[in-house]
Amino acid sequence: MKMLTEAFNDVAARLLAHHENDTTDQTAEITTLSTEYYLDADLWRREVDLIFKRLPIMLGFSCELKETGAYKAMTVVETPVILMRGSDGKARAFLNVCIHRGTLLKPDGKGECRRLVCPYHAWTYDDKGALVGIADAQKFGDYDKTGRGLTELPCEERAGMIWVVLTPGLPLDLESYLGEMLRELEWLEIDTWSIYEQRRLDCANWKAAHDGYVDGYHIEFLHANTIATFSKGDVNTFDAFGPHQRIGFANQDIAKLKKIPRADWVPNDGYTFVRTIFPHVSLAVTKGGGGLISQLFPGPTPDTSYTIQSHIYAHLPQTDEERALADASVEMIYGAVRDEDYAMVSGIQRGMESGAIKEVVFGRNEMGNRRLHDWIKYYSQKAPDPAQRPNP
Ligand code: FES
Ligand SMILES: [Fe+2]
């Protein structure tokens, strides 16, 4: 805990210095990416198959599955998934597919049930996915239920979030995948938070949408009347945790840290963190407060994606006044992403498809984007060689 506070103070000191010197963290050189990288359907297929279907992805919050029998069904990159809290308290993930004839057991959405009963012929599965009932068994015939059940997916609940690998049988080791980032996520205590509001946003290509979450360069231009009212633009720190990032954004009031002795600095006072978990989560949250957690998923085609925005708080608003404040914050953030960030990305998609440019350029200040794409390229190879991992 002390060590984390020290690490955050180091970031604050870097941000303060950047603010005073009109600098920001930088890569060694300007880089370019071909527009085909964003448009190519084969590449997109590899990203879906090798990244989204093989790496741990975050599919839910502990608070979405509070009680025994609570479930959440969703379709993620073509895969029907159901998360469910068992009577032993464990969160599990299954393919949401009946083994009789393949019916989807639950429509996408959340609910609660003791057993999963297929809507077609009423085969029944218990809270651990085991097949426990066959309707009209005497007429169906002698079918051995032993060892049969739903296909379970690797699933781990850590730091208040439920992580799943969409391919059965693949290893899931969050300790090694998240590394030190897991310590920061656990420190936030998201497992004690509650969702105030959840919304869906549609957008264009997932990589183009993702670019906006790691880019501090655009804040004062695109978000002049929204995010830039509290956050400065282009005054950033970029710290890598393997493929995951912790990006520091100086707040408009960062200069106040000069007047406060470092020993009295408080995490997130004068600056904000956006943490990204590869390949698809962005957390713009503070300990004790909460904030916005976004899950970004590729859509059914290369030019589509969608985002689940969870406005998740350490303490839900209790009074009308608190609710009004929370509603205003939700609307401001939702509007900034929909009408500012994602409106730009939809334009970018059309701009790239027009063939007007063959490549895009990332400045030395766009370090988060450079890292993001290095890791996407790394993981979308058939068998990535650990020795070739991008440099932190
Ligand atoms: S398909 Fe599920 S019971 Fe028949
Ligand atoms: Fe933005």
Side-chain angles (χ1 to χ4, degrees):
M1 166 63 204
K2 179 105 192 347
M3 274 164 56
L4 272 184
T5 309
E6 268 314 292
F8 299 155
N9 283 350
D10 288 344
V11 172
R14 283 158 62 200
L15 287 168
L16 183 59
H18 280 322
H19 164 69
E20 291 184 321
N21 303 323
D22 199 15
T23 53
T24 190
D25 280 4
Q26 287 179 306
T27 53
E29 71 257 333
I30 289 174
T31 49
T32 59
L33 268 179
S34 140
T35 49
E36 274 306 302
Y37 167 76
Y38 289 92
L39 302 175
D40 185 78
D42 296 336
L43 195 50
W44 176 83
R45 188 73 251 169
R46 289 218 304 274
E47 290 155 9
V48 169
D49 291 346
L50 299 172
I51 296 178
F52 280 87
K53 291 190 180 173
R54 296 185 69 85
L55 295 180
I57 55 175
M58 195 277 274
L59 293 189
F61 296 94
S62 299
C63 63
E64 289 182 286
L65 297 186
K66 268 209 187 94
E67 313 295 338
T68 297
Y71 70 83
K72 179 183 179 187
M74 71 208 97
T75 308
V76 184
V77 287
E78 309 148 344
T79 313
V81 184
I82 185 161
L83 307 180
M84 193 169 184
R85 173 91 55 204
S87 49
D88 54 359
K90 196 169 146 39
R92 292 181 178 79
F94 305 103
L95 293 177
N96 183 22
V97 179
C98 179
I99 63 168
H100 174 215
R101 296 255 297 279
T103 298
L104 299 185
L105 292 168
K106 291 284 179 195
D108 287 359
K110 295 181 213 176
E112 230 177 277
C113 61
R114 238 169 37 84
R115 295 185 158 185
L116 290 165
V117 181
C118 180
Y120 207 174
H121 316 91
W123 282 29
T124 304
Y125 303 87
D126 72 7
D127 58 357
K128 296 177 188 67
L131 176 65
V132 292
I134 293 177
D136 281 348
Q138 73 287 4
K139 293 185 195 159
F140 186 83
D142 196 11
Y143 187 73
D144 187 7
K145 298 196 289 291
T146 325
R148 297 191 200 268
L150 302 177
T151 305
E152 191 161 354
L153 299 174
C155 176
E156 209 180 317
E157 184 172 20
R158 291 296 290 271
M161 291 172 274
I162 297 162
W163 309 79
V164 176
V165 173
L166 291 178
T167 304
L170 283 185
L172 171 54
D173 178 357
L174 277 183
E175 281 283 344
S176 75
Y177 183 64
L178 294 175
E180 283 305 299
M181 181 57 89
L182 183 56
R183 303 283 89 80
E184 299 211 2
L185 297 180
E186 286 175 336
W187 171 82
L188 287 164
E189 297 179 340
I190 298 167
D191 56 332
T192 64
W193 297 1
S194 308
I195 291 173
Y196 180 62
E197 182 137 351
Q198 214 163 36
R199 293 185 181 188
R200 179 187 157 121
L201 281 149
D202 290 312
C203 194
N205 175 269
W206 79 275
K207 289 179 292 189
H210 201 323
D211 271 330
Y213 289 92
V214 294
D215 168 354
Y217 183 25
H218 71 283
I219 302 291
E220 285 194 19
F221 313 113
L222 181 62
H223 300 307
N225 300 316
T226 52
I227 296 161
T229 56
F230 55 87
S231 187
K232 293 186 82 67
D234 221 7
V235 182
N236 295 104
T237 54
F238 296 94
D239 292 304
F241 296 69
H244 321 297
Q245 303 199 53
R246 184 186 63 211
I247 304 173
F249 288 74
N251 284 356
Q252 295 291 357
D253 63 355
I254 181 124
K256 73 179 177 189
L257 293 182
K258 265 188 90 156
K259 301 192 198 91
I260 306 172
R262 176 174 161 135
D264 296 334
W265 287 357
V266 175
N268 278 102
D269 190 27
Y271 63 97
T272 317
F273 281 133
V274 171
R275 294 175 174 89
T276 56
I277 309 298
F278 191 85
H280 76 129
V281 180
S282 156
L283 303 98
V285 296
T286 58
K287 186 181 170 83
L292 173 68
I293 301 183
S294 309
Q295 297 158 274
L296 169 65
F297 297 101
T301 53
D303 58 348
T304 57
S305 67
Y306 66 96
T307 300
I308 307 297
Q309 262 197 2
S310 297
H311 300 266
I312 180 166
Y313 300 140
H315 308 282
L316 287 180
Q318 300 296 325
T319 63
D320 286 349
E321 198 181 337
E322 286 170 358
R323 270 187 290 276
L325 277 173
D327 289 342
S329 160
V330 168
E331 288 307 331
M332 190 277 280
I333 293 166
Y334 182 71
V337 177
R338 182 193 55 198
D339 303 334
E340 296 171 2
D341 289 303
Y342 283 9
M344 285 303 115
V345 177
S346 300
I348 284 171
Q349 183 78 37
R350 295 214 310 276
M352 286 186 177
E353 285 170 355
S354 76
I357 53 171
K358 292 280 170 271
E359 59 181 30
V360 293
V361 193
F362 290 102
R364 294 183 57 200
N365 54 345
E366 296 180 278
M367 193 177 202
N369 302 78
R370 167 67 189 273
R371 284 217 178 104
L372 167 69
H373 298 301
D374 281 353
W375 282 101
I376 291 172
K377 288 183 197 163
Y378 172 76
Y379 276 119
S380 53
Q381 305 163 45
K382 273 260 147 48
D385 173 0
Q388 304 290 316
R389 282 163 67 102
N391 277 326

